[in-house]
């Protein structure tokens, strides 16, 4: 198995950047499109556990649209073969001083493009 195929990394970097723009811009349609629309998709958030795309979709629709800007650090994308990758990043928000967020996503190449099949977000005190 090839790890960190340059073409795959480049593709996931584009998808990850699209996700980040949609997240900070509260573009719910793009966020929904980037998640695998399946009952097996999971997203563990800072304050919620979401099982299945429908729960993720409902969360996105009801989420506040302010205070979403953030700064990323130490973003690491690793691919495993041509069809699977992880994206991990740290983030800080001006409205949450003294806290650092951690985000992990598992991306899989589906027939309609790269999709997040599992995600985890947590926030801790800044080490």
């Amino acid at each position: 198995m090839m790890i960190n195929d340059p073409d795959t990394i480049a593709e996931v970097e584009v998808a990850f950047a699209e996700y980040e723009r949609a997240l900070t811009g509260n573009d719910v349609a793009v966020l929904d499109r980037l998640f695998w629309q399946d009952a097996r998709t999971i997203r563990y958030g800072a304050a919620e556990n979401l099982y299945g795309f429908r729960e993720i979709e409902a969360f996105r629709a009801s989420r506040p649209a302010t205070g979403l800007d953030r700064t990323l650090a130490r973003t690491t994308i690793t691919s495993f073969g041509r069809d699977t990758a992880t994206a991990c990043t740290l983030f800080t928000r001006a409205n949450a001083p003294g806290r650092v967020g951690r985000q992990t996503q598992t991306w899989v190449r589906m027939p309609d493009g790269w999709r997040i099949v599992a995600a985890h977000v947590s926030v801790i005190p800044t080490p």
Side-chain angles (χ1 to χ4, degrees):
M1 170 188 309
M2 177 178 268
I3 296 176
N4 284 348
D5 170 61
D7 293 337
T8 303
I9 294 292
E11 291 172 13
V12 176
E13 285 174 342
V14 169
F16 181 84
E18 181 180 19
Y19 175 89
E20 187 63 22
R21 284 189 305 276
L23 181 71
T24 59
N26 200 42
D27 190 336
V28 174
V30 172
L31 292 170
D32 286 347
R33 178 176 53 78
L34 290 174
F35 271 84
W36 183 34
Q37 296 186 12
D38 189 273
R40 294 167 285 189
T41 303
I42 295 175
R43 181 186 178 276
Y44 294 145
E48 64 284 336
N49 299 316
L50 307 172
Y51 287 83
F53 175 74
R54 295 293 167 231
E55 289 184 14
I56 296 166
E57 180 182 43
F59 167 78
R60 291 277 183 225
S62 66
R63 176 175 188 231
T66 60
L68 300 175
D69 289 334
R70 62 192 198 161
T71 301
L72 302 184
R74 301 193 72 179
T75 302
T76 303
I77 296 174
T78 306
S79 69
F80 303 89
R82 295 263 313 131
D83 299 318
T84 306
T86 59
C88 302
T89 195
L90 300 175
F91 63 89
T92 55
R93 289 195 160 108
N95 62 0
R99 311 281 289 163
V100 62
R102 303 171 301 176
Q103 173 182 295
T104 302
Q105 300 168 329
T106 302
W107 290 81
V108 175
R109 183 194 311 272
M110 299 290 185
D112 53 349
W114 285 97
R115 299 295 179 259
I116 299 165
V117 300
H120 181 213
V121 178
S122 59
V123 180
I124 62 171
T126 302

